[in-house]
Amino acid sequence: MPVHRSGTTGRSIAAAAAALLTVPALALALPGTAGAADLPAGPPGDEIPPRGSAHMGMGVIEHDGQGGLPRTDRAVQTEGVDVSGHQGNVNWSALWSSGVKWAYTKATEGNYYKNPYFAQQYNGSYNIGMIRGAYHFATPNDSSGANQANYFADGGGAWSRDGKTLPGVLDIEWNPYGAACYGKTQSQMVAWIRDFLTTYRARTGRDAVIYTATSWWKDCTGNYAGFGSTNPLWIARYDTTVGELPAGWGYQTIWQYTSTGPIVGDHNRFNGALDRVQALANG
């Protein structure tokens, strides 16, 4: 640091300190610079993940905790997995050999992201012999339900009656980028979900599966019971049993029971034998 020899030393130091204080304020005001007001709110000390990186169940352990694994001697169930961009290229041959018979792949998020590994994951599972489907990670604060349903249907979430394609999934859960309920009231959230589901059915002829967790559903929809008669339930709970289900559903169609299973992490059980998975695919 240079030595100041004039009588202005005190004034120079004060001016430098003022300049340093001014820099952050200027940076916040510069176009394209993210200031605190531009970032989504999150819990203190938590790092907000990059947009597009969300995937099924990423908030389950933080919000609901984690227990043991379910027993294997219950009613017949069919093992499946869900994958997204964070798994990269998936070893479908190894999963098939381990007994996995169906898979869901993340296709889209919000109205701004498409999974760059979608083709390898979606087609790879199909080519190995699995029944496959696609899911959409919803961000209701970004655009309408109809807008995101169309984005999903156009981005890999369409359905075909080939006997090996499952209906699309609306993944509606905790917001990893900000407020858990995306800044919506319970009635607004229900309306957003209905908008998505109605549009998806109009586009594909199928009722979408709803993936959620009971605690989120209670907090963010007020435990709304109106979708249980039309939309199959995929429940997220990492414990020995599925526990309490959201209102309107008497049983789950799919249960995501762990995020630490073999090869890809997220493992699920379809509530029935393989012919029931095929029945859902056939509509």
Side-chain angles (χ1 to χ4, degrees):
M1 189 173 189
V3 178
H4 295 278
R5 302 189 184 278
S6 71
T8 61
T9 301
R11 290 194 298 271
S12 299
I13 293 173
L20 288 172
L21 290 173
T22 305
V23 169
L26 289 173
L28 292 176
L30 288 173
T33 304
D38 301 317
L39 298 174
D46 283 7
E47 183 177 342
I48 298 171
R51 298 262 284 178
S53 65
H55 55 88
M56 277 185 169
M58 67 184 298
V60 171
I61 294 175
E62 176 187 352
H63 293 273
D64 283 351
Q66 179 175 222
L69 293 174
R71 288 164 43 188
T72 57
D73 59 347
R74 297 183 183 274
V76 176
Q77 304 199 341
T78 308
E79 191 77 4
V81 296
D82 60 89
V83 296
S84 65
H86 82 281
Q87 276 109 348
N89 292 324
V90 174
N91 187 341
W92 292 112
S93 178
L95 283 166
W96 178 260
S97 297
S98 74
V100 172
K101 299 302 179 186
W102 60 269
Y104 266 103
T105 295
K106 179 182 177 181
T108 51
E109 176 179 318
N111 61 352
Y112 52 83
Y113 172 86
K114 294 181 180 179
N115 177 8
Y117 293 95
F118 180 75
Q120 192 277 343
Q121 295 175 347
Y122 189 71
N123 296 330
S125 56
Y126 182 93
N127 291 337
I128 204 69
M130 295 182 190
I131 301 173
R132 53 79 193 270
Y135 80 84
H136 173 78
F137 192 97
T139 57
N141 56 322
D142 284 313
S143 62
S144 69
N147 173 266
Q148 293 192 30
N150 283 316
Y151 186 75
F152 176 45
D154 292 337
W159 175 78
S160 58
R161 194 183 294 275
D162 59 5
K164 291 184 69 176
T165 302
L166 293 158
V169 174
L170 169 63
D171 178 359
I172 187 78
E173 56 178 296
W174 299 279
N175 178 11
Y177 312 120
C181 299
Y182 301 87
K184 293 194 175 295
T185 65
Q186 293 173 343
S187 60
Q188 288 172 338
M189 184 63 75
V190 169
W192 191 98
I193 294 170
R194 183 181 296 111
D195 193 27
F196 182 100
L197 298 176
T198 301
T199 303
Y200 184 80
R201 180 171 177 79
R203 285 292 307 272
T204 67
R206 294 301 306 273
D207 289 307
V209 177
I210 295 177
Y211 169 98
T212 195
T214 300
S215 64
W216 183 92
W217 193 261
K218 284 182 170 182
D219 290 342
C220 298
T221 75
N223 211 19
Y224 180 74
F227 301 126
S229 62
T230 53
N231 300 91
L233 173 66
W234 187 344
I235 193 69
R237 178 173 162 83
Y238 302 164
D239 213 332
T240 55
T241 67
V242 296
E244 180 187 5
L245 298 179
W249 285 281
Y251 61 90
Q252 81 285 356
T253 297
I254 305 172
W255 172 19
Q256 186 190 57
Y257 65 89
T258 185
S259 61
T260 57
I263 303 173
V264 296
D266 290 357
H267 274 248
N268 308 266
R269 290 182 177 176
F270 192 97
N271 195 5
L274 183 60
D275 65 328
R276 302 318 304 157
V277 184
Q278 294 169 328
L280 181 61
N282 288 324

